[in-house]
């Protein structure tokens, strides 16, 4: 259909005429600006794909380049037909966006990014005006922001630096364009004449390589400094969390089944217990090099070997912690098993939501809600890691299961790329409260968590009581440890620090009649050199602590999971490896629930939890990196100072957040406190500026100090001296604005300064200082009289 035919359509023809009657758009003729804007958009598109780790939108790069090239050559035309086609295509893109949005409500970030990319590609075919280029700059910035929220690695960092390096000259050129500086201004004569204009000089200096390099370095430095000092406050205030696309699976979900890809089922040597050997459930064997042996219904601790390090997941969490996977209640002599595995209960979610309600009722006096988002990097069993006491789970399957030990299970293995979110009610560890819990254990707790094999029960109990009694003697105290919490704490510390119980690299296998705890405490038999070996592998320490506690009537179990991992301050994620998996001892306290203790050497005795402040985690990580290069004595002193400052800042920030959470009264108290702290900070700033000014004056020669003091006083009244003015020219100018007496004082001090500067005459310093003081007093007296006159002048009406 030709243009003439389109004009004959009634509605379309009238619209066409109105468009043609409109004034022509303001053309943007700067080719460099267009190229830089296009590069910004390309970086945003590439950053989105890099962050998503998928090549979804790379097609948009060459297409947008073609569109930008076409629009450059057609920038002076109205392009009415092209505008209609672009409008239709944008409606199609919007329809595709809504269609995809319905199917991916779990995470809309990439859907929105793809809509923006489609709009930008279409928009690139019609960019005659400057403000259209501004839209493209904003789209590029939004795409980069979306990539920042998705990215979980530092590969996003170089793209951010490239975007910044392009954005700085783009903003300068855009500002020049808004000022109306045309392309003709680039001629030598125009540049020389415009050099007199300060603004133009600033633009030209910014675009030069030297000043551009300095500006980029300063911007990056300020950005990193702000990033390091920025408090990490709890986020996720909206209940929309990252979740993968829905997972469909075949067959019935067996809640009792644990699918560990590292161990093959079905009548061969690699059974479901974990490890390779003639009897993987309780015989000698080797651990799998990739998958942790402890993630199974029953585990065999008569295994030897090591895993090869491999990143398995990344976690974004409001607090550090032990990413718990499952618990074990029954000790088998050489390992553990879940005795009530058949009691794992299924939980369903509605089709319109990814939310599972698990345990909404807290069972501890003090809890803190912690939100965690997990991204699986390497295949894991169908066991779902989470912090203690998960109350809500956002997961892409229709069913999950919760076992008797609080572990979460999925119908399918956790595959690479899976994302899910957990909200946990993490109990706060209150040592004074836990020390007063007593021993009134519920019947169900006594039934399952106090069992010790009869063969070793008496021997282990005697050893445990002997350790506790020896502690009382060493402390020279008449009062024995009677609190279960203090007993658990001391026994864990004892196993961790006692030189008799070390981490053993080459441990002999246990015979079928041998017990792991007995061998650990009293020595393994059948060693190659005939000597007994005490101690064991890391997980053995947790097993021994649990059985020692059970032997003296304290309920305990072991839980398998992942250590916190390595925190990356630049991404805000905890990077967790398969070698971070281990067993931890959990102890039950009435009215408080289960709390973990880690007796393994090299680990913190109390695992990281909500008690550890994460507000300034990025700054702390940066400081640890710097401190690694400092001598030990200096590092220790600076650590104390740094810890003191961070602790007080965290307390202040915590107080403010606590006030804002107490309703209207707390809100007003918090605002009043913020204003008060701001006022105190302003006073400190003013005092510091005054001290610095006095110090600067003290370093100047006496005559120059008096002259500079006079200039500062006059500048505070609005009579600042211009840099181009000489002292005598400034004194002459003051005659037109000040009284005769003040003008004479200004001239006399200026004359004295000039005589000293160029003639070396010191003059009468006492008289000069008195003149400057009188000048200040006369100004204050005028202000006072003016203020009094407002109240003493009669009201004449």
């Amino acid at each position: 259909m030709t243009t003439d035919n389109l004009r004959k359509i009634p509605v379309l023809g009238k619209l066409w005429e109105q468009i043609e009657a409109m004034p022509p758009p303001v053309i943007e003729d700067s080719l460099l600006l267009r190229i830089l804007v296009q590069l910004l958009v390309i970086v945003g598109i590439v950053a989105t794909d890099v962050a998503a780790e998928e090549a979804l939108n790379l097609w948009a790069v060459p297409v947008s380049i073609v569109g930008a090239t076409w629009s450059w050559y057609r920038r002076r035309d109205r392009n009415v037909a092209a505008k209609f086609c672009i409008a239709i295509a944008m409606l199609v893109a919007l329809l595709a966006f809504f269609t995809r949005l319905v199917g991916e409500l779990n995470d809309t970030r990439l859907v929105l990014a793809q809509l923006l990319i489609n709009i930008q590609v279409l928009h690139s075919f019609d960019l005659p005006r400057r403000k259209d280029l501004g839209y493209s700059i904003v789209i590029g910035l939004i795409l980069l922001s979306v990539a920042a929220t998705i990215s979980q690695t530092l590969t996003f960092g170089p793209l951010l630096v490239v975007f910044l390096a392009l954005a700085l000259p783009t903003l300068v050129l855009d500002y020049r364009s808004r000022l109306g500086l045309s392309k003709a201004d680039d001629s030598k004569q125009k540049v020389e004449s415009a050099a007199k204009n300060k603004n133009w000089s600033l633009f030209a200096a910014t675009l030069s390589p030297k000043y551009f390099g300095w500006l980029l370095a300063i911007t990056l430095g300020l950005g990193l400094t702000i990033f390091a000092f920025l408090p990490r406050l709890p986020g996720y205030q909206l209940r929309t969390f990252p979740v993968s696309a829905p997972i469909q699976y075949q067959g019935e979900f067996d809640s009792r089944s644990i699918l560990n890809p590292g161990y093959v089922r079905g009548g061969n040597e690699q059974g479901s217990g974990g490890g390779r050997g003639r009897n993987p459930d309780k015989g000698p064997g080797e651990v799998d090099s990739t998958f942790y042996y402890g993630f199974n219904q029953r585990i065999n601790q008569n295994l030897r070997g090591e895993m090869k390090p491999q990143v398995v997941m990344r976690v974004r969490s409001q607090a550090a912690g032990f990413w718990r996977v499952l618990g074990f209640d029954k000790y088998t002599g050489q390992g553990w098993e879940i005795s009530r595995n058949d009691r794992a209960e299924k939980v369903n979610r509605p089709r319109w939501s990814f939310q599972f309600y698990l345990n909404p009722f807290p069972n501890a006096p003090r809890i803190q809600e912690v939100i965690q988002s997990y991204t699986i990097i390497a295949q894991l069993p169908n066991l779902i890691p989470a912090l203690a006491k998960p109350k809500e789970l956002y997961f892409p399957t229709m069913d999950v299961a919760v076992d008797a030990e609080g572990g979460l299970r999925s119908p399918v293995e956790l595959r690479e790329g899976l994302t899910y979110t957990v909200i946990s009610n993490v109990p706060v560890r209150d040592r004074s409260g836990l020390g007063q819990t007593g021993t009134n254990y519920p019947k169900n707790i006594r039934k399952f968590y106090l069992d010790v094999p009869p063969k070793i029960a008496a021997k282990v109990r005697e050893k445990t009581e002997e350790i506790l009694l020896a502690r009382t003697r060493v402390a020279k105290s008449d009062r024995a440890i009677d609190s279960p919490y203090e007993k658990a704490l001391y026994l864990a510390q004892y196993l961790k620090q006692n030189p008799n119980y070390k981490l053993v690299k080459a441990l002999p296998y246990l015979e079928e009649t041998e017990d792991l705890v007995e061998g650990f405490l009293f020595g393994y038999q059948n060693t190659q050199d005939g000597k007994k070996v005490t101690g064991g592998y890391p997980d053995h320490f947790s097993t021994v602590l649990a059985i020692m506690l059970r032997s003296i009537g304290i309920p305990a179990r072991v839980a398998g999971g992942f250590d916190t991992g390595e925190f990356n301050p630049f991404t805000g994620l905890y990077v967790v490896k398969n070698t971070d998996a281990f067993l931890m001892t959990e102890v039950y306290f009435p009215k408080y629930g289960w709390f973990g203790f880690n007796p393994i050497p090299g680990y913190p005795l109390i695992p990281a939890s909500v008690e550890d402040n994460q507000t300034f985690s990025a700054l702390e990580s940066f400081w640890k990196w710097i401190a690694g290069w400092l001598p030990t004595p200096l590092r220790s002193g600076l650590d104390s100072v740094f810890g003191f400052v961070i602790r007080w800042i965290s307390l202040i920030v915590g107080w403010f957040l606590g006030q804002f959470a107490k309703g209207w009264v707390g809100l007003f108290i918090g605002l009043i406190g913020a204003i008060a702290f701001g006022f105190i900070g302003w006073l400190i700033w003013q005092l510091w500026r005054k001290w610095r000014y006095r110090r600067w004056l003290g370093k100047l020669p006496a005559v120059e100090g008096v002259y500079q003091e006079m200039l500062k006083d006059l500048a505070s009244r609005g009579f600042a001296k211009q840099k181009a003015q000489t002292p005598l020219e400034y004194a002459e100018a003051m005659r037109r604005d000040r009284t005769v007496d003040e003008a004479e004082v200004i001239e006399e001090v200026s004359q004295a300064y000039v005589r000293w500067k160029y003639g070396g005459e010191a003059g009468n310093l006492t008289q000069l200082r008195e003149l400057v003081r009188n000048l200040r007093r006369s100004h204050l007296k005028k202000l006072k009289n003016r203020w009094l006159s407002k109240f003493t002048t009669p009201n004449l009406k």
Side-chain angles (χ1 to χ4, degrees):
M1 184 180 289
T2 64
T3 303
D4 294 333
N5 292 332
L6 287 173
R7 290 177 179 175
K8 294 177 181 179
I9 301 175
V11 178
L12 220 89
K14 200 159 189 180
L15 182 61
W16 197 294
E17 290 177 1
Q18 290 179 357
I19 293 175
E20 287 187 330
M22 293 173 61
V26 179
I27 305 301
E28 178 55 65
D29 284 318
S30 174
L31 180 60
L32 180 58
L33 177 58
R34 286 172 173 267
I35 292 174
L36 287 174
V37 170
Q38 185 63 34
L39 290 175
L40 282 178
V41 173
I42 291 174
V43 171
I45 295 172
V46 173
T48 305
D49 276 3
V50 169
E53 299 180 354
E54 296 180 15
L56 297 174
N57 305 298
L58 289 181
W59 62 269
V61 174
V63 178
S64 62
I65 292 175
V66 172
T69 305
W70 184 86
S71 65
W72 165 256
Y73 287 106
R74 302 273 299 184
R75 66 187 184 280
R76 301 194 184 279
D77 300 329
R78 291 186 179 277
N79 303 320
V80 178
K83 291 180 189 294
F84 275 108
C85 293
I86 291 171
I88 294 171
M90 284 188 175
L91 290 175
V92 174
L94 189 63
L95 176 63
F97 163 72
F98 284 116
T99 303
R100 189 179 175 194
L101 185 65
V102 173
E104 298 189 23
L105 288 173
N106 50 297
D107 193 348
T108 60
R109 291 173 295 179
L110 283 177
V111 183
L112 291 170
Q114 193 163 24
L115 173 65
L116 285 174
I117 291 171
N118 293 335
I119 291 175
Q120 171 56 32
V121 170
L122 296 172
H123 182 58
S124 65
F125 282 87
D126 187 28
L127 298 175
R129 298 175 298 178
R130 180 171 58 252
K131 69 176 184 179
D132 291 327
L133 294 174
Y135 297 152
S136 297
I137 293 173
V138 172
I139 289 177
L141 182 61
I142 294 174
L143 291 175
L144 194 78
S145 302
V146 171
T149 63
I150 298 173
S151 177
Q152 296 187 350
T153 64
L154 288 178
T155 53
F156 172 74
L159 291 171
L160 180 61
V161 175
V162 171
F163 187 90
L164 178 61
L166 293 171
L168 292 176
T170 302
L171 292 175
V172 172
L173 288 173
D174 182 65
Y175 193 43
R176 282 174 54 183
S177 180
R178 293 176 189 276
L179 290 178
L181 299 173
S182 63
K183 187 176 179 181
D185 289 332
D186 293 335
S187 64
K188 184 176 181 181
Q189 294 81 6
K190 292 286 186 179
V191 171
E192 290 176 354
S193 62
K196 299 178 182 179
N197 187 311
K198 292 184 178 179
N199 292 327
W200 169 252
S201 299
L202 177 62
F203 301 144
T206 304
L207 283 174
S208 68
K210 177 182 177 181
Y211 288 98
F212 169 72
W214 276 109
L215 182 61
L216 180 62
I218 292 172
T219 305
L220 287 173
L222 286 175
L224 290 174
T225 303
I226 294 172
F227 179 82
F229 281 89
L230 196 67
R232 266 42 173 189
L233 303 177
Y236 291 111
Q237 300 304 318
L238 299 176
R239 294 301 189 187
T240 302
F241 305 110
V243 184
S244 294
I247 298 175
Q248 304 296 334
Y249 54 91
Q250 302 294 327
E252 183 68 20
F253 174 27
D254 183 4
S255 61
R256 300 168 300 174
S257 176
I258 297 179
L259 311 174
N260 193 328
Y263 309 110
V264 181
R265 286 173 166 72
N268 56 17
E269 291 186 352
Q270 298 183 21
S272 62
R276 301 183 181 88
R278 62 177 184 272
N279 189 347
D281 283 347
K282 58 179 180 178
E286 297 179 3
V287 299
D288 189 273
S289 61
T290 303
F291 298 94
Y292 179 59
Y293 79 102
F295 297 155
N296 231 306
Q297 177 186 347
R298 66 179 61 84
I299 59 175
N300 174 19
Q301 292 190 287
N302 196 15
L303 304 178
R304 307 295 180 259
E306 296 181 355
M307 290 188 296
K308 297 178 181 179
Q310 178 185 6
V311 176
V312 294
M313 64 182 183
R314 301 189 189 102
V315 185
R316 187 184 302 278
S317 176
Q318 294 174 325
F322 176 67
W323 318 119
R324 191 179 187 275
V325 175
L326 78 172
F328 300 91
D329 63 324
K330 184 178 180 180
Y331 176 62
T332 62
Q334 295 185 4
W336 294 84
E337 68 175 347
I338 305 173
S339 65
R340 295 171 289 171
N341 187 60
D342 56 346
R343 291 180 57 182
E345 298 180 357
K346 292 183 183 179
V347 182
N348 307 105
R349 66 168 175 86
R351 291 191 176 274
W352 60 85
S353 173
F354 289 89
Q355 185 179 32
F356 293 89
Y357 289 97
L358 304 174
N359 182 25
F361 304 105
N363 58 351
R366 288 179 57 203
I367 60 170
Q368 182 169 323
E369 183 181 274
V370 179
I371 301 173
Q372 321 114 61
S373 291
Y374 299 79
T375 300
I376 306 303
I377 306 302
Q379 188 176 3
L380 290 175
N382 66 322
L383 303 170
I384 304 174
L387 282 182
K389 296 299 178 184
K391 72 167 185 174
E392 296 177 33
L393 171 67
Y394 294 77
F395 201 77
T397 60
M398 291 300 301
D399 307 279
V400 295
V402 183
D403 64 29
E405 307 304 326
L408 304 178
R409 302 181 185 183
S410 164
V412 295
E413 297 172 356
L414 307 188
R415 300 286 181 174
E416 180 182 352
L418 173 69
T419 298
Y420 66 93
T421 299
V422 182
I423 304 178
S424 301
N425 281 335
V426 180
V428 178
R429 188 186 292 259
D430 179 10
R431 183 168 180 174
S432 60
L434 290 169
Q436 301 171 6
T437 55
T439 58
N440 186 21
Y441 303 114
K443 181 180 179 180
N444 198 48
I445 295 295
R446 294 198 304 269
K447 180 179 179 181
F448 292 102
Y449 303 107
L450 289 175
D451 181 54
V452 181
K455 180 178 112 174
I456 64 169
K459 195 173 183 181
V460 174
R461 182 176 63 253
E462 290 176 4
K463 180 67 174 177
T464 304
E465 291 174 346
E466 177 187 335
I467 294 170
L468 294 173
L469 183 62
R471 185 264 181 192
T472 305
R473 292 172 183 164
V474 171
K476 297 181 181 180
S477 174
D478 297 332
R479 184 169 174 265
I481 304 175
D482 55 1
S483 163
Y485 183 82
E486 296 300 327
K487 289 180 180 179
L489 204 62
Y490 179 73
L491 289 174
Q493 188 72 32
Y494 177 85
L495 291 176
K496 184 187 293 287
Q497 295 183 344
N498 193 299
N500 295 323
Y501 305 120
K502 299 179 180 179
L503 289 170
V504 181
K505 293 184 178 180
L507 194 67
Y509 285 108
L510 294 169
E511 298 296 331
E512 290 187 9
T513 58
E514 286 186 285
D515 184 275
L516 170 67
V517 175
E518 184 180 19
F520 183 100
L521 292 173
F522 306 104
Y524 292 95
Q525 302 292 334
N526 301 325
T527 58
Q528 295 180 354
D529 55 5
K531 296 180 180 179
K532 288 187 176 182
V533 178
T534 55
Y537 285 176
D539 286 353
H540 296 177
F541 283 78
S542 300
T543 295
V544 171
L545 176 60
I547 299 304
M548 291 177 74
L549 291 170
R550 287 186 176 190
S551 71
I552 56 174
I554 300 175
R557 66 185 180 190
V558 296
F562 293 96
D563 194 19
T564 305
E566 183 180 356
F567 180 70
N568 188 330
F570 296 99
T571 62
L573 298 171
Y574 296 95
V575 181
V576 183
K577 298 180 180 179
N578 57 349
T579 49
D580 291 323
F582 67 97
L583 294 180
M584 182 185 294
T585 306
E586 291 184 338
V587 185
Y588 181 82
F589 302 96
K591 299 181 181 179
Y592 280 81
W594 296 93
F595 284 86
F597 295 83
N598 195 342
I600 303 174
Y603 286 84
L605 179 64
I606 303 299
S609 188
V610 292
E611 298 85 12
D612 299 324
N613 190 287
Q614 301 290 315
T615 306
F616 297 95
S617 53
L619 184 60
E620 290 175 358
S621 300
F622 181 73
W623 165 247
K624 289 178 181 177
W625 179 76
I626 294 293
W629 300 86
L630 300 176
T632 302
L634 179 61
R635 182 171 65 244
S636 301
L638 291 177
D639 274 338
S640 302
V641 175
F642 187 79
F644 176 80
V645 173
I646 291 296
R647 184 164 56 253
W648 274 100
I649 294 177
S650 301
L651 286 174
I652 293 172
V653 173
W655 180 82
F656 277 121
L657 294 177
Q659 295 303 317
F660 292 143
K662 293 179 180 179
W664 288 106
V665 176
L667 177 61
F668 280 108
I669 293 175
L671 290 175
I672 292 171
I675 294 172
F677 275 109
F679 178 67
I680 293 171
W682 178 81
L683 286 178
I684 295 173
W685 169 253
Q686 293 299 322
L687 291 173
W688 181 78
R689 286 185 62 189
K690 189 174 181 180
W691 170 82
R692 190 180 64 170
Y693 174 70
R694 291 294 177 188
R695 190 172 175 223
W696 174 71
L697 282 180
K699 293 181 178 180
L700 295 176
V703 178
E704 185 178 2
V706 174
Y707 179 69
Q708 292 294 340
E709 192 173 357
M710 182 190 72
L711 291 181
K712 182 175 177 57
D713 179 58
L714 292 171
S716 66
R717 306 184 206 176
F719 301 101
K721 175 182 174 293
Q722 301 299 321
K723 290 184 177 180
Q725 286 180 313
T726 65
L728 297 181
E729 288 175 345
Y730 175 67
E732 183 64 26
M734 286 296 98
R735 284 189 174 277
R736 296 190 296 268
D737 300 316
R738 310 309 300 160
T739 63
V740 176
D741 294 338
E742 290 181 340
E744 288 179 355
V745 170
I746 296 171
E747 184 173 3
E748 186 170 347
V749 175
S750 300
Q751 289 282 2
Y753 172 71
V754 171
R755 287 194 297 270
W756 167 80
K757 184 76 174 177
Y758 302 102
E761 297 181 18
N764 191 338
L765 290 175
T766 304
Q767 182 182 357
L768 291 175
R769 290 193 179 102
E770 187 63 28
L771 288 173
V772 172
R773 280 195 291 268
N774 291 336
L775 185 65
R776 189 181 302 113
R777 288 195 196 102
S778 66
H779 175 63
L780 295 175
K781 186 176 181 180
K782 285 182 181 180
L783 290 178
K784 180 181 177 182
N785 293 336
R786 192 179 305 164
W787 182 77
L788 290 173
S789 67
K790 293 181 180 179
F791 299 95
T792 58
T793 302
N795 189 6
L796 301 176
K797 287 189 178 179

